Amino acid sequence: MVLSLRLVDEVLEVAGILMTSIVIMLCMAAGKHREKSYRKFTIFMIFSLLNMLFDLLSTVFRYHSGSVGFYGERISVFLSYAFGFLLVPRIFDFLTEYISQKVKISRRPNDILNRITGAAMILLVLNIECPVLYSFDPHYVRGQFFYVNQALIFTGLMFCAVRIKKNWRYLEKYEQSAFLICLFLTIPNLLIQIPFNSMGTDSLALANAFSGIIVFVFLQMEREKEIARKERQLMEEQIYLSTSQIQPHFISNALNTIQYLCDVDPEQAGIVTGKFARFLRMNIKAMSSKNPVDFERELVHLENYLAIEQLRFPEISYCYDIKVKHFRIPPMTLQPLVENAVRHGICKNGGKGTVWITTEREEKSGDIILRIADDGCGFDVYAVRSAEQGHIGLENSRTRVELMCKGTMEIVSEIGKGTTVTIRLPDWQETTNPMEEANTAAEDREVNEDEDHGSR
C-alpha cells in the first residue's frame, strides 16, 4: 500500500512538473514586455515548479544511502517547504494585480498575507534545531505542527476567494468561471492530503498545474480580446489625431502672440513664426504616419511648441535630462503629453510649476524609459479611467504606444502633488538602421527647405 501511494505520488509530481514547465515556457514566449499580471503569474508558476521539483528530489534522495542521500533529502525537504510557503502570497499578488487593472483595490491584505508567510518561514528555519514541522527518523516524517503548511495554503486560498467575491461584478463571465474552477480544483486536493501521515499523495501538484493552464488560457483570451479592441481604437484615434492636434484654440493664441511680437520685437516675431510654421508642418506629416518616428524629431516638435507656449506661460519651466535619444515612439506622443501636463496639471494649480522630460536606459532589462512629470494639481487616475469622458489624449497615447511599439505607458498621479507618465519601450525600438536615420534627416531637411521657401 505504501509503495503504491509512493508511486502515485511520484507520477503526479512528474506530471505536475511537466505541465507547469510548459505553462512557464508559454508565458516567457509571450514576451518579457507583457503587463505586470503576466509577470506575477509567471513568478507564481516558477515557485510552484520549484516546490514540486524539490519535493520530488526529496523522494529520490530517500533511496540513496550515505551522505548524498542524508543531506540531499534534508536540503530538498527544506527547500520544498520554503517554496511552498512563498508561492502562497505570489498567487494572491497575481490576483491583486489582475483585478487592480479593472478597479482600485486595497493592498493591505497582501501585506497581511506576507507577514503570515514571513512567520511561517521563521518557523521553518527554527525547525532545523527544534523539529516541529517535520523531522527525520531516519527519513522524512511529519511533525506535530505540520498542518501549519496546509493552514497557510488554505489561508491564501481564502484570501483569494474573498478578493474574487468582493470584485465579482468587475470580472467577465469567463474570468469568474476560470477563478472558480481553480479554487474548486485546489481546495479539495489540499484536503485530500490531510488524512495521510508521512506518505501522502501529491494531487495538489497536479491541481496547481491544471489551475495554471486554465489561468494562462484566460489570460491569453483577455489579451487577444484587448488587442482586437485596441486595433479598432487605433483606427478611430488616428481620426481623433487629425481633428484634435491642430487646435483652433492654440492657433488663435499663437497668431495673437505673433501679432503682438510684430509690434514690440519684429526679430523675435520672425523666429516664432518659423517655429510655428514648422510645428504645423510636422503636425500634418504626423497625421499621415502609421509607423513610429524618431524621438529626436518628436523632441524638435516639442521645442517648437514650447517656444510659443513659454511666451504665454513664462512662469512654467521645462527641465530636460535626455540620456538616450536614438529610439522611436508613435508620432504625436511627446508634445500632447507635455501639453496635458501644462494645461491639466500646472495651469490648474496656479500656472506656476515645472515639467520634467527625461529618458534613460534601464540597465537590467535594456528597456528605454521616457518620463514626463509635472508638479501640478494631479488627479485620481482610477476616477478618470472609469469616467466615460476624461483625459482621452492619455488613453490615445497609451493605445498607440502598446500597438505601434509593443511598449507600456503607466500613469501615476497624486492630487496636490503632480503626475508622472512613464513610457517603457523594448530595446529593439532603438534606432540602429543608418538608412532609417538618413530618411529621417532627409524629411527634416525637406521641412526646413519648405519653410525657407515660404519665408522668401
Side-chain angles (χ1 to χ4, degrees), residues 40 74 81 124 147 235 246 331:
K40 288 185 179 291
R74 281 155 178 75
Y81 267 82
L124 177 61
Y147 296 107
M235 296 183 66
I246 301 183

Side-chain angles (χ1 to χ4, degrees), residues 88 95 122 167 253 256 421 448:
V88 173
L95 182 64
I122 292 172
N167 299 281
N253 288 332
N256 286 335
V421 178
N448 291 330

Side-chain angles (χ1 to χ4, degrees), residues 371-382:
R371 288 189 180 90
I372 298 94
D374 67 77
D375 55 1
C377 63
F379 64 95
D380 188 333
V381 176
Y382 289 95

Side-chain angles (χ1 to χ4, degrees), residues 15-81:
I17 288 171
L18 290 174
M19 293 170 63
T20 304
S21 300
I22 291 171
V23 173
I24 291 171
M25 286 188 289
L26 290 172
C27 285
M28 290 182 171
K32 67 176 181 177
H33 298 289
R34 292 288 193 177
E35 56 271 15
K36 286 184 180 179
S37 57
Y38 258 89
R39 295 198 294 271
K40 288 185 179 291
F41 173 68
T42 304
I43 292 171
F44 162 71
M45 294 305 293
I46 290 173
F47 276 48
S48 181
L49 174 65
L50 292 171
N51 168 248
M52 291 184 286
L53 181 61
F54 285 114
D55 194 40
L56 180 62
L57 286 174
S58 69
T59 305
V60 172
F61 282 119
R62 190 175 300 163
Y63 298 105
H64 283 73
S65 58
S67 59
V68 172
F70 181 85
Y71 290 108
E73 183 179 4
R74 281 155 178 75
I75 293 171
S76 298
V77 169
F78 179 85
L79 292 175
S80 175
Y81 267 82

Side-chain angles (χ1 to χ4, degrees), residues 137-347:
D137 185 29
H139 300 296
Y140 169 79
V141 178
R142 292 180 179 181
Q144 61 184 16
F145 291 129
F146 163 79
Y147 296 107
V148 168
N149 183 24
Q150 261 73 6
L152 179 61
I153 298 174
F154 188 77
T155 301
L157 291 174
M158 289 301 99
F159 270 54
C160 291
V162 170
R163 176 133 286 176
I164 291 169
K165 182 178 182 299
K166 284 187 175 181
N167 299 281
W168 186 259
R169 65 183 182 276
Y170 300 108
L171 300 173
E172 302 283 350
K173 286 187 177 180
Y174 70 90
E175 294 171 324
Q176 296 170 352
S177 301
F179 283 131
L180 286 178
I181 291 171
C182 291
L183 289 174
F184 285 129
L185 275 174
T186 309
I187 293 176
N189 281 282
L190 177 65
L191 299 176
I192 287 173
Q193 288 189 324
I194 293 177
F196 296 95
N197 189 19
S198 61
M199 183 59 62
T201 58
D202 207 356
S203 57
L204 183 61
L206 202 59
N208 279 341
F210 271 119
S211 299
I213 291 173
I214 291 168
V215 172
F216 178 78
V217 168
F218 89 71
L219 276 174
Q220 286 295 98
M221 289 173 59
E222 178 70 12
R223 182 69 179 177
E224 295 302 321
K225 179 181 175 182
E226 187 70 7
I227 287 175
R229 182 185 69 82
K230 287 183 176 180
E231 283 177 347
R232 292 194 301 270
Q233 245 186 341
L234 189 60
M235 296 183 66
E236 295 171 359
E237 288 169 354
Q238 197 70 26
I239 299 173
Y240 168 80
L241 267 180
S242 300
T243 58
S244 68
Q245 291 306 317
I246 301 183
Q247 300 177 15
H249 177 73
F250 173 72
I251 293 175
S252 176
N253 288 332
L255 292 175
N256 286 335
T257 301
I258 292 169
Q259 183 182 27
Y260 169 76
L261 289 173
C262 286
D263 294 330
V264 298
D265 191 346
E267 184 178 352
Q268 180 69 8
I271 294 172
V272 173
T273 301
K275 290 183 177 295
F276 181 55
R278 187 169 188 181
F279 172 81
L280 294 177
R281 177 61 185 270
M282 293 182 78
N283 256 20
I284 293 169
K285 291 183 73 68
M287 290 175 190
S288 59
S289 177
K290 297 181 180 179
N291 299 309
V293 298
D294 192 79
F295 172 74
E296 287 186 281
R297 174 185 291 185
E298 283 285 288
L299 199 58
V300 170
H301 186 237
L302 172 65
E303 289 168 350
N304 289 326
Y305 167 79
L306 293 181
I308 301 167
E309 287 292 88
Q310 282 187 295
L311 294 172
R312 299 180 57 231
F313 304 109
E315 292 188 329
I316 299 177
S317 58
Y318 302 90
C319 297
Y320 296 88
D321 184 12
I322 309 299
K323 296 177 180 175
V324 184
K325 58 181 179 180
H326 297 294
F327 62 93
R328 292 182 293 270
I329 59 175
M332 298 301 296
T333 298
L334 185 59
Q335 180 266 323
L337 290 176
V338 173
E339 180 180 1
N340 196 75
V342 172
R343 295 187 181 279
H344 299 290
I346 294 175
C347 285

